[in-house]
């Protein structure tokens, strides 16, 4: 039918809307025609897959094979059959290519996600429909994390209560998507668009598109304040449910800075502060003595919690000819000194020698098994640790998109047959090949000890998701015994954080934890230019020629760590704190964790009654006014 006649007929049927309906109808007719052609071809293929007859010779099956091979019709059929399969393979390849980029690339292809913001269609689609409000765990509109507001010119714009504090979790339209692009993503509409247009079909809008997440807005803001002026990260979760209560990485950035391409490129180019990096989930750190919690947990699982080891002035020598493993002060840790220690004493004193010997006693296979229970990837060789992997299925989430947006880098530990007992001993104290742990992972280790049933719960961000366990790590009795040992660090006479946690104990809150101090090589940056300092070096190549190259100038940075649980009777908090270059764990990170516990108590997050608000001081009685000075009365004369 001629397009003019078609348009006239549609105008008669549908009225003035025919201008929009014409291309819709043509699209449907085209799709139906393609479907009919495919149906006819498939039917002919099934009914007559191979032509075995000829109008001249007759039925080819009755001829000898030697004769059939020489016939032109046979060779022609064979050639056509081959090309038919080639055509089918090419068609499926092209179709599969388009299906992948249309249906799956947005969720699974990281490069596609990074560049999708440049697609004008994507940006228009994102702007075409309003997202719901993102509410914090209270569900109050007044505590919204993401919402809409009217601008003076009448425009409706997306606004954020914690634009800097929630930047890494919310994400932006550029780079890897965050909660903003995944929590509110609608499922694809199965109804073809052209069909909707032709028959005036309107999909009913979602009744409720607002989303409540597990983050506490006041706690998130407070955590960010604790890291002001520092580089590092804090993770706070509920070990009983897996709820993420707060997570912050500093330095951070403003979401508004990612809207402009120039400012976004500037953020990407800042290699000194690296504000786009989520240090809580994407950065590897050496965990130091906090990892002794993992070694202690592994000892309980192996039934070796009653084992004692002796610390000696010369350190622990894993095998003949090995270098010794020493305690932090080069001798034996106080308050017990060089003596035979049990696991509780060693944990309180943070004895390197004890936990190195325990790791060797446990062996690589037990370490591997326990690492996997705690979502730590155990690999065979150090080279495998350079291949970044992400735990996309770790999260308890409603969609794979949310899992991918929050997926942490997989922490790794080497347990292969080629590493020595010296290497295993270093891993037991949180050094060596155990030096690729994220703060998020160490919060998971703390959470496993804090769960009353001995389970590691899958972390979750959607408030209404029911809790899901990741693994059964400990028995309830083992968990209770470990929590009591962890309490020695914050309450014991020789605990490394006992003094720091004085205010927490004064508030009636029992806790347990572990300090950590870890050295790490880090590059030096020029303060003026912000560029990495490089050192010119030379080497000989395979032909003996001198080759010049540049290496970054490195320095040894001492990171401050602390992990803890509170309240000890039923932990509602599992906290991991790391401060880059902060020094001793008890000096910087432990005070931050103590402050977070007290703030959580104030916000009612500890399962304890909120502390009573201080009563307003009674007004002081007004001080009596001093009598006005007056001239002395003259005495009567005599």
């Amino acid at each position: 039918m001629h397009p003019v006649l078609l348009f006239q007929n549609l105008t008669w049927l549908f009225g003035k809307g025919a201008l929009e309906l014409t291309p819709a109808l043509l699209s449907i007719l085209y799709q139906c025609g393609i479907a009919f052609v495919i149906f006819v071809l498939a039917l002919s293929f099934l009914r007559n897959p191979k032509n075995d007859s000829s109008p001249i010779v007759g039925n080819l099956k009755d001829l000898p094979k030697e004769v059939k091979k020489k016939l032109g019709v046979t060779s022609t059929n064979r050639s056509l059959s081959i090309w038919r399969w080639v055509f089918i393979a090419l068609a499926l390849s092209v179709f599969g290519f388009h299906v992948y980029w249309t249906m799956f690339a947005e969720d699974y292809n990281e490069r596609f996600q990074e560049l999708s913001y440049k697609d004008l269609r994507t940006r228009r689609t994102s702007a075409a429909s309003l997202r719901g409000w993102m509410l914090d765990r209270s569900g109050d509109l007044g505590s919204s994390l993401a919402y809409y507001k009217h601008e003076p010119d009448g425009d409706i714009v997306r606004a954020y209560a914690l634009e800097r504090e929630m930047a890494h979790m919310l994400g932006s339209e550029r780079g890897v998507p965050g909660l903003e692009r995944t929590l509110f993503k609608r499922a694809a509409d199965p109804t073809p668009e052209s069909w909707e247009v032709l028959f005036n079909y309107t999909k009913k809008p979602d009744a409720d598109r607002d989303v409540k997440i597990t983050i506490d807005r006041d706690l998130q803001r407070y955590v960010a304040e604790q890291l002001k002026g520092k580089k590092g990260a804090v993770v706070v979760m509920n070990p009983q449910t897996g709820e993420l209560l707060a997570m912050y990485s500093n330095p951070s950035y403003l979401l508004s800075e990612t809207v402009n391409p120039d400012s976004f490129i500037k953020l990407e180019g800042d290699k000194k502060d690296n504000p786009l990096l989520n240090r809580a989930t994407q950065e590897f750190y050496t965990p130091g003595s906090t990892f002794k919690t993992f070694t202690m947990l592994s000892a309980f699982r192996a039934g070796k919690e009653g084992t004692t080891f002796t610390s000696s002035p010369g350190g622990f020598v894993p095998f003949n000819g090995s270098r010794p493993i020493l305690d932090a002060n080069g001798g034996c840790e106080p308050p017990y000194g060089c003596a035979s220690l049990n696991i509780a004493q060693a944990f309180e004193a943070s004895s390197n020698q004890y936990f190195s010997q325990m790791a060797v006693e446990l062996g690589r296979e037990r370490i591997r098994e326990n690492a996997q229970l705690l979502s730590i990837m155990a690999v065979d060789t150090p080279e495998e640790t350079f291949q970044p992997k992400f735990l996309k299925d770790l999260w308890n989430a409603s969609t794979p998109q949310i899992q991918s947006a929050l997926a942490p880098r997989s922490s790794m530990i080497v347990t292969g047959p080629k590493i020595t007992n010296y290497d295993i001993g270093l891993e037991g104290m949180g050094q060596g090949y155990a030096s690729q742990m994220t703060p998020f992972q160490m919060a998971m280790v703390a959470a496993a000890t804090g769960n009353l049933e001995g389970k590691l719960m899958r972390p979750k961000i959607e408030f209404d998701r029911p809790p899901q366990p990741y693994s059964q790590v400990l028995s309830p009795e083992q968990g209770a015994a470990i929590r009591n040992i962890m309490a020695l660090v914050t309450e014991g006479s020789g605990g490394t954080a006992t003094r720091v946690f004085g205010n927490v104990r004064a508030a009636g809150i029992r806790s347990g934890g572990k300090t950590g101090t870890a050295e790490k090589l880090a590059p030096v940056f020029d303060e003026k230019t912000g560029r990495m300092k490089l050192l010119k070096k030379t080497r000989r190549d395979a032909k003996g020629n001198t080759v010049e190259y540049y290496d970054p100038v490195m320095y040894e940075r001492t990171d401050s760590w602390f992990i803890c649980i509170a309240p000890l009777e039923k932990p509602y908090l599992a906290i991991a704190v790391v401060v880059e270059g902060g020094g001793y764990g008890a000096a910087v990170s432990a005070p931050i964790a103590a402050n977070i516990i007290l703030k959580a108590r104030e916000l009612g997050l500890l399962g304890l009654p909120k502390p009573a608000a201080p009563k307003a001081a009674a007004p002081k009685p007004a001080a009596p006014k001093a009598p006005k000075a007056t001239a002395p009365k003259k005495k009567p004369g005599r």
Side-chain angles (χ1 to χ4, degrees):
M1 181 181 294
H2 195 277
V4 175
L5 296 177
L6 178 64
F7 176 71
Q8 291 175 349
N9 291 332
L10 286 174
T11 303
W12 177 75
L13 287 172
F14 299 103
K16 293 182 179 180
L19 184 62
E20 183 184 20
L21 301 179
T22 300
L25 180 61
L26 291 175
S27 298
I28 293 176
L29 293 175
Y30 174 78
Q31 293 170 9
C32 292
I34 291 295
F36 178 75
V37 170
I38 294 174
F39 173 77
V40 171
L41 290 175
L43 187 65
S44 64
F45 177 77
L46 293 174
R47 294 183 61 182
N48 189 20
K50 187 176 180 180
N51 191 356
D52 289 325
S53 63
S54 168
I56 300 175
V57 182
N59 192 348
L60 301 180
K61 293 182 179 180
D62 299 334
L63 298 176
K65 291 183 179 180
E66 294 76 9
V67 176
K68 285 196 294 182
K69 290 181 180 180
K70 296 180 180 180
L71 290 176
V73 64
T74 303
S75 60
T76 302
N77 285 342
R78 187 183 304 112
S79 177
L80 289 175
S81 176
I82 293 173
W83 283 109
R84 178 170 55 185
W85 284 109
V86 170
F87 173 78
I88 291 174
L90 290 174
L92 290 177
S93 299
V94 173
F95 182 72
F97 177 83
H98 287 286
V99 168
Y100 171 77
W101 289 108
T102 304
M103 304 290 293
F104 303 105
E106 184 178 0
D107 298 331
Y108 302 105
N109 190 293
E110 296 178 6
R111 185 59 178 164
F112 182 90
Q113 294 167 353
E114 292 174 1
L115 298 177
S116 61
Y117 72 90
K118 295 182 178 180
D119 187 348
L120 185 60
R121 293 170 300 173
T122 301
R123 296 170 66 177
R124 285 176 175 172
T125 301
S126 299
S129 60
L130 296 180
R131 295 167 177 164
W133 285 33
M134 187 184 299
L135 312 176
D136 86 334
R137 63 184 297 103
S138 68
D140 297 333
L141 291 179
S143 297
S144 298
L145 297 167
Y147 54 93
Y148 285 99
K149 67 177 182 179
H150 278 283
E151 290 287 276
D153 59 2
D155 289 343
I156 299 177
V157 297
R158 190 71 163 172
Y160 306 96
L162 303 177
E163 187 182 2
R164 184 183 299 276
E165 295 87 344
M166 290 282 294
H168 290 106
M169 280 190 281
L170 292 174
S172 65
E173 298 302 327
R174 290 177 165 83
V176 179
L179 293 177
E180 269 285 72
R181 288 163 61 187
T182 56
L183 277 177
F184 302 101
K185 183 177 180 180
R186 291 187 177 187
D189 189 353
T191 307
E193 183 182 357
S194 55
W195 191 268
E196 295 178 17
V197 173
L198 184 63
F199 292 97
N200 197 25
Y201 171 81
T202 303
K203 183 180 178 181
K204 294 181 179 180
D206 295 338
D208 183 9
R209 296 179 61 196
D210 295 338
V211 176
K212 183 166 69 169
I213 64 175
T214 61
I215 296 294
D216 185 279
R217 192 172 84 163
D218 293 332
L219 186 65
Q220 181 73 16
R221 181 188 289 112
Y222 185 80
V223 164
E225 291 173 359
Q226 294 297 300
L227 284 181
K228 188 175 182 180
K230 305 177 180 69
K231 288 184 180 180
V234 175
V235 180
V236 186
M237 62 176 59
N238 185 329
Q240 310 306 326
T241 62
E243 294 174 327
L244 185 67
L245 302 176
M247 182 170 68
Y248 181 66
S249 168
N250 202 55
S252 186
Y253 60 96
L254 294 172
L255 289 173
S256 56
E257 294 176 327
T258 65
V259 176
N260 186 295
D262 293 334
S263 58
F264 183 76
I265 292 173
K266 186 177 179 180
L267 289 173
E268 282 188 315
D270 186 355
K271 302 304 181 183
K272 178 183 176 183
D273 291 333
N274 212 355
L276 294 178
L277 173 66
N278 187 347
R279 288 168 166 81
T281 60
Q282 310 296 324
E283 180 72 324
F284 285 148
Y285 294 92
T286 301
S289 293
T290 58
F291 200 71
K292 292 169 183 173
T293 310
F294 167 84
T295 308
M296 177 171 65
L297 180 151
S298 302
F300 270 83
R301 280 185 49 82
K304 295 182 179 294
E305 66 273 16
T307 307
T308 60
F309 294 106
T310 301
S311 297
S312 63
F316 165 56
V317 180
F319 58 90
N320 291 333
S322 165
R323 287 181 292 173
I325 295 177
L326 301 169
D327 285 307
N329 62 0
C332 301
E333 292 287 356
Y336 303 105
C338 295
S340 180
L341 303 179
N342 60 37
I343 197 167
Q345 293 169 329
F347 196 80
E348 180 184 6
S350 195
S351 171
N352 292 344
Q353 294 191 48
Y354 181 94
F355 285 99
S356 295
Q357 293 179 78
M358 177 60 79
V360 173
E361 176 72 16
L362 290 169
R364 68 189 79 239
E365 290 303 324
R366 283 199 180 101
I367 292 175
R368 173 186 290 269
E369 174 190 346
N370 295 319
Q372 293 171 343
L373 281 175
L374 290 167
S375 76
I376 301 172
M377 180 177 292
V379 297
D380 289 333
T381 63
E383 290 73 22
E384 294 177 72
T385 62
F386 295 105
Q387 303 170 6
K389 294 180 175 60
F390 294 86
L391 295 172
K392 294 184 177 180
D393 61 345
L394 175 66
W395 282 84
N396 170 13
S398 59
T399 66
Q401 292 83 6
I402 298 174
Q403 289 181 319
S404 296
L406 298 173
R409 285 185 72 182
S410 180
S411 297
M412 299 186 188
I413 189 170
V414 182
T415 58
K418 293 184 179 180
I419 66 172
T420 67
N421 280 347
Y422 177 81
D423 298 319
I424 294 175
L426 289 180
E427 290 179 341
M429 54 181 274
Q431 301 283 346
Y433 292 137
S435 296
Q436 288 186 290
M437 299 292 148
T438 64
F440 190 86
Q441 179 61 65
M442 294 312 298
M444 297 273 285
V445 172
T449 68
N451 185 274
L452 295 184
E453 298 179 359
K455 296 177 180 178
L456 176 63
M457 305 302 293
R458 292 183 182 274
K460 69 169 188 168
I461 194 76
E462 298 164 278
F463 188 85
D464 295 328
R465 294 282 300 173
Q468 291 180 1
Y470 179 82
S471 61
Q472 182 72 48
V473 182
L474 300 163
S475 69
E477 295 76 19
Q478 289 173 332
I482 288 176
R483 290 192 291 275
N484 287 329
I485 294 176
M486 293 176 70
L488 297 175
V489 174
T490 56
E491 299 178 355
S493 58
T496 52
T498 296
R499 182 183 59 81
V500 174
F501 270 66
N503 290 339
V504 176
R505 294 194 303 276
I509 305 170
R510 296 198 65 202
S511 63
K514 186 71 192 77
T515 55
T517 306
E519 291 74 28
K520 180 178 180 179
L521 288 177
V524 177
F525 288 87
D526 189 281
E527 292 294 335
K528 294 181 179 180
T529 64
R531 296 179 179 177
M532 188 184 300
K533 289 186 176 181
L534 301 175
L535 183 63
K536 186 177 181 180
K537 295 183 178 181
T538 59
R539 63 177 175 83
R540 298 282 184 180
D541 62 12
K543 298 180 179 180
N545 300 321
T546 301
V547 179
E548 294 183 350
Y549 67 101
Y550 291 89
D551 259 356
V553 178
M554 309 293 285
Y555 77 103
E556 190 173 71
R557 188 183 76 200
T558 303
D559 294 339
S560 174
W561 272 95
F562 192 75
I563 64 172
C564 68
I565 51 175
L568 200 67
E569 299 80 7
K570 184 178 181 180
Y572 283 90
L573 298 182
I575 305 173
V577 181
V578 63
V579 177
E580 297 178 8
Y584 290 108
V588 178
S589 294
I592 291 175
N595 292 339
I596 292 173
I597 292 173
L598 293 175
K599 183 65 177 180
R601 167 71 182 277
E602 177 187 324
L603 297 173
L605 297 174
L606 291 189
L608 302 172
K610 290 185 179 181
K615 295 181 179 180
K620 295 182 179 179
K625 295 182 179 179
K628 293 182 179 180
T630 57
K633 295 182 179 179
K634 293 182 179 180
K635 289 183 180 181
R638 294 185 180 171

